Amino acid sequence: MALRRVVVTGLGALTPIGNTAQEYWEGLKNGVSGAAPITRFDAAKFRTQFACEVKNFDVENYLDRKEARKMDPFTQYAMVVAEEAMNDSGLDLEKIDLNKAGVIWGSGIGGLKTFQDEVKSYTLNDFTPRFNPFFIPKMIADISAGYISIKYGFHGPNFVTVSACASATNAIIDAMNYIRLGHMDIAITGGSEAAVTEAGIGGFNAMKALSERNDSPETASRPFDKDRDGFVLGEGAAGLILEEYEHAKARGAKIYAELIGGGMSADAHHITAPHPEGLGATNVMVNALKDANITPDEVDYINVHGTSTPLGDISETLAIKKVFGDHAYDLNISSTKSMTGHLLGAAGAIEAAACIMALQNNVVPPTINHFTDDEGLDNKLNFTFNKAQEKELNVVLSNTFGFGGHNTSIIFRKLAE
Protein backbone atom coordinates (compact mmCIF):
# COMPACT_ATOMS: atom_id res chain seq x y z
CA MET A 1 0.00 0.00 0.00
CA ALA A 2 1.07 3.59 -0.59
CA LEU A 3 2.04 5.30 2.64
CA ARG A 4 0.45 8.65 3.40
CA ARG A 5 2.68 11.68 3.87
CA VAL A 6 3.17 13.19 7.33
CA VAL A 7 3.85 16.86 8.08
CA VAL A 8 4.47 18.98 11.17
CA THR A 9 1.86 21.70 11.71
CA GLY A 10 2.44 22.76 15.32
CA LEU A 11 5.26 23.12 17.85
CA GLY A 12 5.52 23.69 21.59
CA ALA A 13 8.55 23.70 23.88
CA LEU A 14 9.43 24.17 27.54
CA THR A 15 13.18 23.88 27.99
CA PRO A 16 16.08 25.01 30.20
CA ILE A 17 16.84 27.77 27.66
CA GLY A 18 13.35 28.94 26.73
CA ASN A 19 9.75 28.39 27.82
CA THR A 20 8.18 28.54 24.35
CA ALA A 21 9.27 27.16 21.00
CA GLN A 22 10.41 30.59 19.83
CA GLU A 23 12.30 31.36 23.06
CA TYR A 24 13.93 27.95 22.80
CA TRP A 25 15.05 28.67 19.24
CA GLU A 26 16.50 32.04 20.24
CA GLY A 27 18.47 30.30 22.99
CA LEU A 28 19.75 27.66 20.58
CA LYS A 29 20.97 29.98 17.85
CA ASN A 30 22.61 32.28 20.42
CA GLY A 31 24.45 29.44 22.13
CA VAL A 32 22.89 29.90 25.56
CA SER A 33 23.74 27.42 28.32
CA GLY A 34 20.87 26.28 30.54
CA ALA A 35 23.11 24.84 33.25
CA ALA A 36 23.20 26.41 36.71
CA PRO A 37 23.26 25.39 40.39
CA ILE A 38 20.26 23.25 41.36
CA THR A 39 17.35 25.13 42.94
CA ARG A 40 14.89 22.22 43.29
CA PHE A 41 16.58 20.91 46.47
CA ASP A 42 19.73 21.33 48.55
CA ALA A 43 22.38 19.57 46.45
CA ALA A 44 25.33 20.37 48.73
CA LYS A 45 25.92 16.72 49.62
CA PHE A 46 25.85 15.49 46.00
CA ARG A 47 28.89 15.14 43.77
CA THR A 48 26.98 17.02 41.07
CA GLN A 49 25.31 20.18 42.30
CA PHE A 50 24.01 21.65 39.05
CA ALA A 51 21.56 20.81 36.27
CA CYS A 52 19.64 22.32 33.37
CA GLU A 53 16.37 23.22 35.09
CA VAL A 54 13.32 24.86 33.54
CA LYS A 55 13.39 28.48 34.71
CA ASN A 56 10.77 31.10 35.61
CA PHE A 57 8.01 28.52 35.32
CA ASP A 58 4.82 28.83 37.39
CA VAL A 59 2.44 26.02 36.57
CA GLU A 60 -0.52 28.08 37.79
CA ASN A 61 -0.01 30.36 34.79
CA TYR A 62 -0.98 27.39 32.63
CA LEU A 63 -3.11 24.99 34.66
CA ASP A 64 -5.76 25.21 37.34
CA ARG A 65 -4.06 24.87 40.72
CA LYS A 66 -6.28 22.00 41.86
CA GLU A 67 -5.70 20.06 38.65
CA ALA A 68 -1.96 20.74 38.64
CA ARG A 69 -1.64 19.20 42.12
CA LYS A 70 -2.87 15.90 40.68
CA MET A 71 0.04 15.84 38.21
CA ASP A 72 3.74 15.13 38.52
CA PRO A 73 5.87 17.88 36.93
CA PHE A 74 6.56 15.69 33.87
CA THR A 75 2.81 15.65 33.14
CA GLN A 76 2.48 19.37 33.83
CA TYR A 77 5.23 19.99 31.28
CA ALA A 78 3.47 17.74 28.77
CA MET A 79 0.20 19.62 29.15
CA VAL A 80 1.90 22.99 28.67
CA VAL A 81 3.71 22.10 25.44
CA ALA A 82 0.72 20.21 24.03
CA GLU A 83 -1.37 23.34 24.44
CA GLU A 84 1.25 25.52 22.77
CA ALA A 85 1.54 23.07 19.87
CA MET A 86 -2.23 22.81 19.46
CA ASN A 87 -2.64 26.59 19.48
CA ASP A 88 0.20 26.91 17.00
CA SER A 89 -1.40 24.37 14.66
CA GLY A 90 -4.69 26.27 14.37
CA LEU A 91 -6.66 23.02 14.60
CA ASP A 92 -10.38 23.49 15.21
CA LEU A 93 -11.65 20.63 17.38
CA GLU A 94 -15.15 21.07 15.98
CA LYS A 95 -13.94 20.45 12.44
CA ILE A 96 -11.82 17.31 12.84
CA ASP A 97 -12.66 13.65 13.32
CA LEU A 98 -11.73 13.07 16.96
CA ASN A 99 -11.72 9.32 16.36
CA LYS A 100 -8.80 9.82 13.96
CA ALA A 101 -6.83 12.03 16.36
CA GLY A 102 -4.50 10.50 18.94
CA VAL A 103 -1.73 11.12 21.45
CA ILE A 104 1.55 9.21 21.41
CA TRP A 105 3.97 10.59 23.99
CA GLY A 106 7.39 9.63 25.34
CA SER A 107 8.96 9.63 28.81
CA GLY A 108 11.90 7.60 30.01
CA ILE A 109 11.08 7.70 33.71
CA GLY A 110 7.72 9.38 34.33
CA GLY A 111 6.80 10.60 37.79
CA LEU A 112 10.13 10.27 39.58
CA LYS A 113 9.49 13.19 41.95
CA THR A 114 6.12 11.79 42.94
CA PHE A 115 7.57 8.34 43.64
CA GLN A 116 10.47 9.82 45.60
CA ASP A 117 8.28 12.12 47.69
CA GLU A 118 5.71 9.46 48.56
CA VAL A 119 8.32 6.93 49.65
CA LYS A 120 10.13 9.62 51.65
CA SER A 121 6.89 10.56 53.38
CA TYR A 122 6.20 6.91 54.21
CA THR A 123 9.60 6.41 55.85
CA LEU A 124 9.55 9.72 57.73
CA ASN A 125 6.13 8.94 59.20
CA ASP A 126 7.19 5.74 60.97
CA PHE A 127 6.27 3.66 57.93
CA THR A 128 2.59 4.50 58.33
CA PRO A 129 0.86 3.74 55.00
CA ARG A 130 -0.67 7.15 54.33
CA PHE A 131 -0.18 7.53 50.61
CA ASN A 132 -1.65 10.22 48.41
CA PRO A 133 -4.65 8.81 46.51
CA PHE A 134 -3.13 10.27 43.35
CA PHE A 135 0.24 8.58 43.95
CA ILE A 136 -0.16 5.93 41.26
CA PRO A 137 -1.82 8.03 38.53
CA LYS A 138 0.72 10.83 39.14
CA MET A 139 3.65 8.44 38.85
CA ILE A 140 2.88 6.22 35.86
CA ALA A 141 4.48 7.33 32.60
CA ASP A 142 1.39 6.79 30.45
CA ILE A 143 -0.70 9.34 32.34
CA SER A 144 0.73 12.25 30.33
CA ALA A 145 -0.86 10.96 27.12
CA GLY A 146 -4.05 10.21 29.02
CA TYR A 147 -4.38 13.76 30.33
CA ILE A 148 -3.69 15.27 26.89
CA SER A 149 -6.31 13.09 25.20
CA ILE A 150 -8.88 13.92 27.89
CA LYS A 151 -8.28 17.65 27.45
CA TYR A 152 -8.78 17.58 23.67
CA GLY A 153 -11.23 14.69 23.39
CA PHE A 154 -8.95 12.69 21.11
CA HIS A 155 -10.31 9.14 20.82
CA GLY A 156 -7.58 7.68 18.60
CA PRO A 157 -4.49 5.71 19.67
CA ASN A 158 -3.24 6.82 23.07
CA PHE A 159 -0.07 5.60 24.77
CA VAL A 160 3.42 6.46 25.99
CA THR A 161 6.62 4.88 24.73
CA VAL A 162 9.39 4.07 27.21
CA SER A 163 12.84 3.41 25.76
CA ALA A 164 15.06 5.48 28.05
CA CYS A 165 16.56 8.46 26.20
CA ALA A 166 15.10 7.27 22.90
CA SER A 167 11.52 7.46 24.22
CA ALA A 168 10.30 10.67 22.59
CA THR A 169 11.78 9.79 19.21
CA ASN A 170 10.14 6.37 19.44
CA ALA A 171 6.86 8.18 20.11
CA ILE A 172 7.32 10.42 17.08
CA ILE A 173 8.10 7.42 14.86
CA ASP A 174 5.05 5.55 16.13
CA ALA A 175 2.83 8.58 15.54
CA MET A 176 4.24 8.98 12.03
CA ASN A 177 3.51 5.35 11.20
CA TYR A 178 -0.05 5.42 12.58
CA ILE A 179 -0.73 8.39 10.30
CA ARG A 180 1.05 6.81 7.33
CA LEU A 181 -1.10 3.69 7.67
CA GLY A 182 -4.37 5.60 7.97
CA HIS A 183 -5.10 4.89 11.64
CA MET A 184 -4.87 8.60 12.48
CA ASP A 185 -5.06 11.91 10.67
CA ILE A 186 -3.64 13.95 13.55
CA ALA A 187 -1.27 13.16 16.42
CA ILE A 188 -0.02 15.11 19.39
CA THR A 189 3.41 13.64 19.99
CA GLY A 190 6.66 14.48 21.76
CA GLY A 191 7.98 13.86 25.23
CA SER A 192 8.48 15.21 28.74
CA GLU A 193 10.77 14.52 31.68
CA ALA A 194 11.28 15.95 35.18
CA ALA A 195 14.12 14.00 36.75
CA VAL A 196 16.04 16.83 38.45
CA THR A 197 15.40 15.37 41.90
CA GLU A 198 17.50 13.91 44.69
CA ALA A 199 16.88 10.46 43.28
CA GLY A 200 17.69 11.53 39.72
CA ILE A 201 20.94 13.29 40.54
CA GLY A 202 21.95 10.67 43.12
CA GLY A 203 21.21 7.77 40.81
CA PHE A 204 23.15 9.13 37.87
CA ASN A 205 25.99 10.18 40.19
CA ALA A 206 26.21 6.61 41.43
CA MET A 207 26.65 5.49 37.82
CA LYS A 208 29.35 8.15 37.33
CA ALA A 209 27.37 9.38 34.33
CA LEU A 210 27.11 13.07 35.26
CA SER A 211 29.62 15.86 34.91
CA GLU A 212 30.99 17.03 38.25
CA ARG A 213 32.21 20.42 37.02
CA ASN A 214 30.57 22.29 39.92
CA ASP A 215 32.92 25.26 39.58
CA SER A 216 31.67 26.00 36.06
CA PRO A 217 28.19 24.54 35.40
CA GLU A 218 27.59 26.59 32.26
CA THR A 219 30.58 24.93 30.54
CA ALA A 220 30.02 21.42 31.92
CA SER A 221 28.16 19.99 28.93
CA ARG A 222 30.91 19.87 26.32
CA PRO A 223 30.25 17.21 23.67
CA PHE A 224 33.29 16.19 21.61
CA ASP A 225 35.65 18.18 23.82
CA LYS A 226 38.76 16.41 25.13
CA ASP A 227 37.86 17.24 28.74
CA ARG A 228 34.19 16.15 28.72
CA ASP A 229 33.38 14.31 31.93
CA GLY A 230 29.73 13.28 31.64
CA PHE A 231 26.33 14.67 30.80
CA VAL A 232 24.32 17.41 32.49
CA LEU A 233 20.81 16.42 33.58
CA GLY A 234 18.03 18.49 32.05
CA GLU A 235 14.24 18.70 32.27
CA GLY A 236 11.35 19.96 30.19
CA ALA A 237 9.26 18.94 27.20
CA ALA A 238 8.40 19.52 23.57
CA GLY A 239 5.27 18.75 21.60
CA LEU A 240 4.70 18.32 17.87
CA ILE A 241 1.46 18.21 15.93
CA LEU A 242 1.83 15.64 13.16
CA GLU A 243 -0.80 15.61 10.46
CA GLU A 244 -1.52 13.77 7.26
CA TYR A 245 -0.42 16.03 4.42
CA GLU A 246 -3.71 16.20 2.47
CA HIS A 247 -5.61 16.82 5.71
CA ALA A 248 -3.29 19.70 6.57
CA LYS A 249 -3.41 21.13 3.05
CA ALA A 250 -7.20 20.99 2.94
CA ARG A 251 -7.52 23.21 6.00
CA GLY A 252 -4.79 25.61 4.87
CA ALA A 253 -2.45 24.73 7.71
CA LYS A 254 0.98 26.25 8.20
CA ILE A 255 3.43 23.40 7.50
CA TYR A 256 6.82 23.50 9.18
CA ALA A 257 8.36 20.42 7.58
CA GLU A 258 7.68 16.92 6.34
CA LEU A 259 8.62 13.93 8.50
CA ILE A 260 9.90 11.52 5.87
CA GLY A 261 11.39 8.63 7.81
CA GLY A 262 12.42 6.97 11.02
CA GLY A 263 14.65 4.12 12.06
CA MET A 264 15.09 1.94 15.13
CA SER A 265 17.75 -0.54 16.20
CA ALA A 266 19.35 -2.18 19.23
CA ASP A 267 22.98 -2.33 20.26
CA ALA A 268 22.43 -5.70 22.01
CA HIS A 269 25.70 -4.96 23.77
CA HIS A 270 25.51 -3.46 27.28
CA ILE A 271 22.86 -1.96 29.57
CA THR A 272 24.47 1.50 29.69
CA ALA A 273 27.53 1.64 27.42
CA PRO A 274 27.21 2.17 23.65
CA HIS A 275 28.55 -0.37 21.20
CA PRO A 276 32.25 0.56 20.89
CA GLU A 277 32.15 0.43 17.08
CA GLY A 278 28.84 2.26 16.82
CA LEU A 279 27.02 -0.79 15.45
CA GLY A 280 23.53 0.15 16.64
CA ALA A 281 24.02 3.80 15.73
CA THR A 282 25.13 2.79 12.25
CA ASN A 283 22.15 0.49 11.75
CA VAL A 284 19.60 2.99 12.97
CA MET A 285 20.74 5.74 10.60
CA VAL A 286 20.82 3.29 7.69
CA ASN A 287 17.29 2.18 8.61
CA ALA A 288 16.06 5.78 8.77
CA LEU A 289 17.57 6.62 5.38
CA LYS A 290 15.94 3.55 3.82
CA ASP A 291 12.59 4.41 5.38
CA ALA A 292 12.86 7.97 4.06
CA ASN A 293 13.93 6.66 0.64
CA ILE A 294 16.85 9.07 0.41
CA THR A 295 20.60 8.69 -0.01
CA PRO A 296 23.16 9.72 2.62
CA ASP A 297 24.41 12.65 0.54
CA GLU A 298 20.99 14.32 0.74
CA VAL A 299 21.37 14.96 4.49
CA ASP A 300 22.60 18.45 5.34
CA TYR A 301 22.69 18.39 9.14
CA ILE A 302 22.69 15.81 11.94
CA ASN A 303 21.51 16.74 15.42
CA VAL A 304 23.53 14.07 17.21
CA HIS A 305 22.79 12.32 20.49
CA GLY A 306 26.06 13.90 21.69
CA THR A 307 25.63 13.66 25.45
CA SER A 308 29.18 14.72 26.42
CA THR A 309 30.17 11.28 27.69
CA PRO A 310 33.63 9.92 26.81
CA LEU A 311 32.42 6.73 25.10
CA GLY A 312 29.16 7.90 23.54
CA ASP A 313 30.62 10.75 21.51
CA ILE A 314 33.27 8.45 20.02
CA SER A 315 30.89 5.68 18.96
CA GLU A 316 28.42 8.08 17.36
CA THR A 317 31.06 9.80 15.24
CA LEU A 318 32.37 6.39 14.11
CA ALA A 319 28.84 5.51 13.01
CA ILE A 320 28.38 8.78 11.11
CA LYS A 321 31.58 8.16 9.15
CA LYS A 322 30.48 4.60 8.30
CA VAL A 323 27.04 5.67 7.09
CA PHE A 324 27.92 8.89 5.29
CA GLY A 325 31.43 8.19 3.99
CA ASP A 326 33.08 11.22 2.39
CA HIS A 327 29.82 13.18 2.72
CA ALA A 328 30.33 13.16 6.51
CA TYR A 329 32.83 15.97 5.97
CA ASP A 330 30.34 18.08 4.02
CA LEU A 331 27.44 17.99 6.44
CA ASN A 332 27.07 19.84 9.73
CA ILE A 333 26.94 18.04 13.05
CA SER A 334 25.93 19.58 16.35
CA SER A 335 24.82 18.60 19.82
CA THR A 336 22.19 20.91 21.27
CA LYS A 337 22.61 19.04 24.58
CA SER A 338 25.63 21.30 25.04
CA MET A 339 23.01 24.00 25.76
CA THR A 340 19.95 22.17 27.13
CA GLY A 341 21.62 19.34 28.96
CA HIS A 342 20.20 15.85 28.56
CA LEU A 343 16.42 15.66 28.95
CA LEU A 344 16.46 11.85 28.98
CA GLY A 345 13.13 10.61 27.56
CA ALA A 346 12.23 14.11 26.35
CA ALA A 347 15.52 14.66 24.52
CA GLY A 348 14.24 13.42 21.18
CA ALA A 349 11.28 15.81 21.32
CA ILE A 350 13.21 19.02 21.97
CA GLU A 351 15.85 17.96 19.45
CA ALA A 352 13.20 17.24 16.82
CA ALA A 353 11.88 20.76 17.43
CA ALA A 354 15.42 22.10 17.06
CA CYS A 355 15.79 20.32 13.71
CA ILE A 356 12.47 21.65 12.44
CA MET A 357 13.33 25.23 13.37
CA ALA A 358 16.81 24.83 11.88
CA LEU A 359 15.13 23.86 8.59
CA GLN A 360 12.79 26.83 8.84
CA ASN A 361 15.58 29.31 9.45
CA ASN A 362 18.47 27.76 7.50
CA VAL A 363 20.62 27.95 10.63
CA VAL A 364 22.56 25.12 12.28
CA PRO A 365 22.57 25.56 16.07
CA PRO A 366 26.03 25.19 17.62
CA THR A 367 27.81 22.74 19.87
CA ILE A 368 28.92 25.14 22.59
CA ASN A 369 31.66 24.70 25.20
CA HIS A 370 34.36 23.46 22.88
CA PHE A 371 37.78 24.31 24.25
CA THR A 372 40.17 21.47 23.34
CA ASP A 373 40.17 19.05 20.42
CA ASP A 374 39.99 15.37 21.32
CA GLU A 375 42.70 13.47 19.43
CA GLY A 376 40.49 10.38 19.62
CA LEU A 377 37.88 12.00 17.36
CA ASP A 378 38.02 12.98 13.71
CA ASN A 379 38.29 16.74 14.08
CA LYS A 380 37.93 17.24 10.33
CA LEU A 381 34.20 16.72 10.88
CA ASN A 382 32.20 19.94 11.17
CA PHE A 383 30.85 19.85 14.73
CA THR A 384 29.60 23.47 14.41
CA PHE A 385 31.60 24.43 17.46
CA ASN A 386 30.66 27.42 19.60
CA LYS A 387 28.76 29.46 17.00
CA ALA A 388 25.64 28.87 14.91
CA GLN A 389 26.19 28.56 11.17
CA GLU A 390 23.95 29.80 8.38
CA LYS A 391 23.45 27.08 5.79
CA GLU A 392 20.79 26.14 3.25
CA LEU A 393 19.11 23.13 4.84
CA ASN A 394 16.76 20.77 3.07
CA VAL A 395 17.11 17.50 4.99
CA VAL A 396 18.02 17.03 8.66
CA LEU A 397 18.45 13.92 10.77
CA SER A 398 18.18 13.56 14.55
CA ASN A 399 19.69 10.74 16.63
CA THR A 400 18.65 9.63 20.11
CA PHE A 401 20.07 6.62 21.94
CA GLY A 402 19.09 5.15 25.31
CA PHE A 403 20.26 2.88 28.12
CA GLY A 404 19.47 -0.68 27.15
CA GLY A 405 20.90 -0.13 23.68
CA HIS A 406 17.80 1.54 22.21
CA ASN A 407 18.56 3.62 19.10
CA THR A 408 16.24 5.89 17.12
CA SER A 409 16.68 8.29 14.20
CA ILE A 410 14.18 10.55 12.44
CA ILE A 411 14.49 12.59 9.27
CA PHE A 412 12.74 15.86 8.40
CA ARG A 413 12.68 17.59 5.01
CA LYS A 414 11.46 20.94 3.79
CA LEU A 415 8.09 20.39 2.23
CA ALA A 416 8.22 19.40 -1.42
CA GLU A 417 4.88 19.82 -3.15
Side-chain angles (χ1 to χ4, degrees):
M1 63 178 291
L3 296 177
R4 305 195 307 169
R5 295 170 67 184
V6 180
V7 294
V8 181
T9 58
L11 291 175
L14 177 62
T15 78
I17 60 171
N19 291 4
T20 65
Q22 188 56 43
E23 288 179 7
Y24 170 47
W25 174 245
E26 291 298 319
L28 287 175
K29 71 180 183 180
N30 290 315
V32 174
S33 171
I38 290 169
T39 64
R40 298 278 186 272
F41 58 91
D42 182 359
K45 294 181 180 179
F46 291 81
R47 292 203 304 273
T48 297
Q49 299 166 10
F50 60 92
C52 286
E53 297 175 324
V54 169
K55 301 165 185 67
N56 304 312
F57 174 76
D58 183 350
V59 69
E60 292 183 32
N61 291 333
Y62 302 90
L63 300 169
D64 175 77
R65 182 182 182 187
K66 185 176 179 181
E67 286 303 304
R69 290 179 64 188
K70 299 175 185 177
M71 302 176 189
D72 185 87
F74 95 99
T75 299
Q76 296 173 359
Y77 297 166
M79 296 293 284
V80 169
V81 300
E83 181 174 14
E84 183 186 357
M86 282 293 289
N87 289 342
D88 186 43
S89 73
L91 281 165
D92 185 340
L93 296 178
E94 295 183 357
K95 295 181 179 179
I96 63 175
D97 183 351
L98 297 175
N99 292 318
K100 298 294 290 290
V103 184
I104 303 179
W105 204 250
S107 185
I109 298 178
L112 184 60
K113 185 178 189 302
T114 294
F115 186 83
Q116 170 192 283
D117 290 352
E118 289 296 317
V119 172
K120 185 190 295 185
S121 177
Y122 173 62
T123 57
L124 292 176
N125 288 288
D126 298 320
F127 298 95
T128 301
R130 294 174 182 168
F131 287 88
N132 187 314
F134 292 101
F135 172 32
I136 300 301
K138 284 176 70 174
M139 178 194 69
I140 52 179
D142 70 287
I143 206 69
S144 49
Y147 266 115
I148 294 169
S149 69
I150 291 167
K151 177 172 181 175
Y152 296 105
F154 284 10
H155 294 290
N158 180 262
F159 59 90
V160 165
T161 62
V162 179
S163 50
C165 305
S167 298
T169 309
N170 263 138
I172 294 168
I173 292 171
D174 282 352
M176 172 187 70
N177 284 329
Y178 272 79
I179 294 172
R180 278 174 159 181
L181 295 170
H183 301 303
M184 291 193 295
D185 294 329
I186 299 162
I188 302 176
T189 188
S192 57
E193 204 80 273
V196 182
T197 66
E198 293 97 321
I201 294 291
F204 284 115
N205 264 162
M207 295 175 63
K208 301 187 184 302
L210 296 180
S211 170
E212 298 179 17
R213 205 176 298 275
N214 294 308
D215 59 339
S216 183
E218 68 279 2
T219 69
S221 184
R222 47 179 74 185
F224 311 112
D225 187 87
K226 179 181 180 180
D227 297 318
R228 63 192 182 277
D229 69 330
F231 73 83
V232 178
L233 188 59
E235 63 172 1
L240 285 66
I241 304 302
L242 299 187
E243 196 168 346
E244 192 271 323
Y245 170 60
E246 295 296 340
H247 187 280
K249 191 167 74 168
R251 69 180 185 87
K254 169 182 80 262
I255 295 176
Y256 282 102
E258 184 173 3
L259 177 53
I260 60 173
M264 294 180 277
S265 75
D267 277 2
H269 169 68
H270 189 273
I271 59 170
T272 57
H275 193 283
E277 297 175 5
L279 177 64
T282 300
N283 289 342
V284 76
M285 287 187 281
V286 168
N287 292 342
L289 291 166
K290 287 181 179 177
D291 190 51
N293 194 30
I294 63 172
T295 57
D297 61 0
E298 293 181 70
V299 176
D300 302 304
Y301 163 52
I302 301 176
N303 186 301
V304 292
H305 188 56
T307 58
S308 186
T309 57
L311 296 178
D313 291 358
I314 291 172
S315 65
E316 188 169 11
T317 53
L318 286 174
I320 289 170
K321 290 172 66 176
K322 288 179 183 177
V323 174
F324 292 92
D326 290 342
H327 182 60
Y329 300 97
D330 296 326
L331 52 78
N332 278 71
I333 295 165
S334 76
S335 171
T336 48
K337 289 184 180 73
S338 60
M339 295 173 275
T340 66
H342 191 356
L343 271 66
L344 308 179
I350 68 165
E351 288 157 20
C355 287
I356 292 162
M357 291 186 285
L359 274 176
Q360 282 276 300
N361 293 278
N362 291 310
V363 173
V364 178
T367 304
I368 67 168
N369 297 329
H370 180 71
F371 304 98
T372 309
D373 286 348
D374 182 346
E375 300 87 347
L377 296 172
D378 187 342
N379 290 290
K380 293 180 182 178
L381 295 170
N382 184 358
F383 293 106
T384 322
F385 282 135
N386 296 327
K387 187 177 180 180
Q389 181 178 328
E390 293 186 2
K391 180 177 183 176
E392 179 67 30
L393 299 176
N394 291 296
V395 178
V396 298
L397 181 149
S398 181
N399 285 332
T400 44
F401 312 141
F403 285 172
H406 313 295
N407 306 302
T408 51
S409 295
I410 49 176
I411 302 175
F412 296 96
R413 179 172 61 194
K414 281 181 179 171
L415 184 68
E417 297 294 340

